[in-house]
Amino acid sequence: MTQQIEDLYRPKVRRRRFPPSRRTSLIVIVILLASGLLWVGYSWFQTCGGFGTGVSKVDGQCVGVTDGSYVFEPNLADVEGKIKKANDNIGQAKSVTVAVLNMFTANDTSPLTPDEIREQLEGAYVAQQAANNGVNFGDKNLKIRLVIANEGSDEQQWQPTVQQLIGMKQDSSPLVTVVGLGVSIPATVDSGRALADAGLPMVGAVLTAVDGTKVPGLFRVQPSDREFVTGLDLYLKQHPDLNQGLIVYDSNSGTNGTAVQDLYTQSLFDSDQHQLNRVLRYNPLGFQGKSVPSHSDADMFDRLVTTICGVAPNIVLYAGRLVDLTDFLTALEGRECAPKGPITVLTGGTDLGVLNTATIRQQLTKGRISVVYSSPTDVADWRTYPASAPRHFAQFLDEYEAEHVPMADLDDGYAVSMYDAVATATEAIRHAYNGGALPSPTDVLHQLPNLVNTDTVPAAGGDLSFAVQNHGDPGGKPLPVLRIPADPAVTAPPIANCAATQPGYAYCTPR
């Protein structure tokens, strides 16, 4: 009874009940919080180098945009650190941003090697220093910031990177131009068109098959493959004995009816067919190159070389990339022809200076092989014979040495090409700047075709002009035709001064 009385007078605790609507809201909040935590955790693991780096992991690769703070590959650490320091030194000064778009995480199937990518970035850095601290490229009161934009080993992650770049147009140091753009493959066209749709002008560094007719607003410091083949044509006219030829082509060009995966090899093949048809005596031979991810065979050239022995041409027009050329030359050296006649391999659009070593020259001589190529640069000769170099190459060389960049990185011309791309962008940017408001991408785009007449670009690879009728192609670009091993009858390199008229000067693109 006592317990019953105590229970009767004990204060009753009322359970608080939430109305159904509030219970639902709490559940939703808990779910959102949990989802947010999961998203934060996922984002953390997908972000390369932590939050704020601008770089994320997509399909196993770190892609995106950095000012040099995030290092994409160990071999880029030194030059990225220099770019970061150069950007920091700008401080609060007036500046605009130029993005270097490329495949900064190269692998075995990338069209560019890790060394070639590093060399391009070194060229961009030297150009930035020349722009901000040198005597060329206009008003130094407007500084140039560089950012490094990685689109993946084969440009396959261009979309998130390009979207990130487009979002930088409104930054305090706004993005006004994109340079580089990788190589001439379909992904480059896609990324270029997306940048063009956003109103961003572009300057290609090593593009020879993607131009302003395919991508509006694209300019480039290298001419078309057609121009390179024109240089080869002039060489063959001077050597009429070289008249029995065939083409060895990369089937990634789509030449055999498959989808086009490499626009450079396609345009080189087409140019060879159309411009050098008079020396073609045999049907072309194809191989599947390594520059596009595939199941290419390591011995892919053996059967081709057997066929070459059977028809015995004295010239082979190589329509492929440098990454496969050394394997082809090795297979050609080991050919078992009877007799083993001399063969000249001709190609264009790439500086093969990296092959001009004592070991390779000895191998070529042993195999009775000569390599003749129409080149955008001739760094080794320009350093040895300054009188044969473009007008501003010596100044570039001084700038390059002053930045303590390895001189050996100049041999294949990639540093020169990217330097010239940044120089061209800077010239247009400074032309668009009137000392007041920062220039917009549209302002820069309108000034690029005004780099003509007396306002040419003082580039390392020539005094470049960009007349509107050339659709973004450079005029006045010297294209020396070179030979490995060197022709003993040639005592001096071609003169890379497009105003020269004496014999032996390099072929120059029309202004």
Side-chain angles (χ1 to χ4, degrees):
M1 176 66 70
T2 304
Q3 183 63 43
Q4 291 176 347
I5 294 172
E6 289 177 355
D7 290 342
L8 180 63
Y9 288 97
R10 181 180 293 120
K12 291 188 178 182
V13 179
R14 298 181 63 184
R15 290 187 179 179
R16 189 174 182 181
R17 295 182 178 273
F18 292 106
S21 60
R22 293 190 64 187
R23 286 201 303 270
T24 302
S25 299
L26 286 172
I27 293 170
V28 170
I29 290 171
V30 170
I31 292 173
L32 289 175
L33 286 172
S35 299
L37 290 172
L38 287 173
W39 181 85
V40 168
Y42 176 78
S43 298
W44 174 262
F45 286 112
Q46 291 300 107
T47 299
C48 299
F51 286 116
T53 61
V55 180
S56 300
K57 185 171 288 186
V58 182
D59 290 342
Q61 294 191 61
C62 291
V63 298
V65 184
T66 179
D67 64 353
S69 302
Y70 178 81
V71 176
F72 287 109
E73 294 288 358
N75 76 321
L76 301 177
D78 181 66
V79 64
E80 285 204 47
K82 290 178 177 178
I83 290 172
K84 177 66 168 63
K85 182 178 179 180
N87 287 334
D88 291 344
N89 286 342
I90 292 173
Q92 299 303 311
K94 275 191 174 183
S95 69
V96 293
T97 297
V98 173
V100 184
L101 177 63
N102 213 333
M103 48 189 82
F104 288 105
T105 46
N107 58 30
D108 292 340
T109 65
S110 299
L112 297 173
T113 68
D115 285 345
E116 292 165 349
I117 292 167
R118 185 192 68 253
E119 291 157 6
Q120 288 191 57
L121 201 54
E122 290 167 349
Y125 164 69
V126 174
Q128 180 192 26
Q129 290 294 86
N132 290 341
N133 306 307
V135 297
N136 286 336
F137 313 133
D139 189 349
K140 290 187 294 183
N141 289 317
L142 179 63
K143 303 298 184 181
I144 304 298
R145 293 182 184 272
L146 282 185
V147 293
I148 307 158
N150 181 32
E151 54 186 342
S153 58
D154 297 281
E155 302 185 31
Q156 69 271 48
Q157 302 302 342
W158 66 265
Q159 289 175 301
T161 303
V162 165
Q163 288 305 310
Q164 196 172 345
L165 290 175
I166 292 170
M168 296 171 61
K169 291 170 57 181
Q170 306 303 322
D171 288 358
S172 58
S173 177
L175 178 68
V176 295
T177 320
V178 179
V179 301
L181 282 89
V183 297
S184 297
I185 58 178
T188 301
V189 176
D190 294 336
S191 61
R193 287 175 177 168
L195 290 167
D197 289 343
L200 281 164
M202 297 151 276
V203 183
V206 298
L207 302 180
T208 60
V210 178
D211 59 15
T213 64
K214 294 184 177 70
V215 178
L218 172 63
F219 294 72
R220 57 185 183 179
V221 298
Q222 304 299 349
S224 68
D225 291 313
R226 181 182 63 256
E227 298 287 3
F228 285 104
V229 173
T230 298
L232 296 178
D233 190 16
L234 294 175
Y235 179 88
L236 289 174
K237 287 176 179 176
Q238 296 167 357
H239 298 80
D241 56 310
L242 299 177
N243 57 7
Q244 302 286 323
L246 59 77
I247 299 176
V248 168
Y249 67 93
D250 187 342
S251 60
N252 291 314
S253 61
T255 304
N256 60 358
T258 58
V260 177
Q261 299 184 72
D262 195 329
L263 299 171
Y264 162 69
T265 57
Q266 180 194 48
S267 70
L268 192 56
F269 177 89
D270 290 344
S271 297
D272 286 344
Q273 283 271 51
H274 295 150
Q275 294 175 250
L276 304 179
N277 184 61
R278 70 183 187 282
V279 301
L280 297 177
R281 297 291 182 268
Y282 312 103
N283 290 321
L285 302 172
F287 67 95
Q288 189 173 21
K290 296 194 294 281
S291 63
V292 174
S294 65
H295 300 290
S296 55
D297 186 357
D299 301 322
M300 58 187 167
F301 292 114
D302 289 352
R303 186 177 296 277
L304 270 66
V305 169
T306 300
T307 302
I308 289 171
C309 277
V311 297
N314 60 10
I315 60 174
V316 170
L317 303 175
Y318 178 77
R321 288 195 177 272
L322 174 60
V323 69
D324 298 306
L325 178 57
T326 51
D327 288 341
F328 174 61
L329 294 175
T330 298
L332 200 60
E333 178 200 347
R335 68 192 184 281
E336 297 180 357
C337 306
K340 192 173 183 177
I343 290 181
T344 298
V345 177
L346 296 101
T347 192
T350 302
D351 187 336
L352 302 183
V354 69
L355 300 183
N356 198 5
T357 66
T359 299
I360 292 178
R361 288 195 300 269
Q362 184 178 12
Q363 291 174 340
L364 293 174
T365 301
K366 178 182 177 182
R368 304 192 71 189
I369 303 168
S370 300
V371 177
V372 173
Y373 60 104
S374 180
S375 177
T377 53
D378 183 14
V379 172
D381 281 334
W382 293 348
R383 290 172 62 187
T384 307
Y385 302 91
S388 293
R391 281 199 310 156
H392 298 280
F393 180 77
Q395 183 172 335
F396 158 77
L397 207 58
D398 290 342
E399 294 164 351
Y400 199 87
E401 289 178 315
E403 298 303 331
H404 306 291
V405 185
M407 296 303 295
D409 288 356
L410 288 176
D411 289 346
D412 56 14
Y414 281 95
V416 172
S417 297
M418 189 64 82
Y419 176 97
D420 288 355
V422 175
T424 300
T426 301
E427 280 282 304
I429 288 168
R430 269 73 184 266
H431 273 60
Y433 178 58
N434 59 10
L438 296 177
S440 69
T442 301
D443 296 330
V444 177
L445 178 60
H446 288 165
Q447 290 303 320
L448 280 162
N450 287 338
L451 301 178
V452 292
N453 302 324
T454 58
D455 285 331
T456 57
V457 180
D463 290 355
L464 308 181
S465 64
F466 295 90
V468 66
Q469 66 268 21
N470 288 341
H471 305 291
D473 280 3
K477 171 65 179 173
L479 303 179
V481 177
L482 308 170
R483 185 179 184 268
I484 308 174
D487 187 340
V490 178
T491 57
I495 298 169
N497 177 0
C498 291
T501 56
Q502 58 266 54
Y505 88 103
Y507 168 70
C508 289
T509 60
R511 293 190 185 276

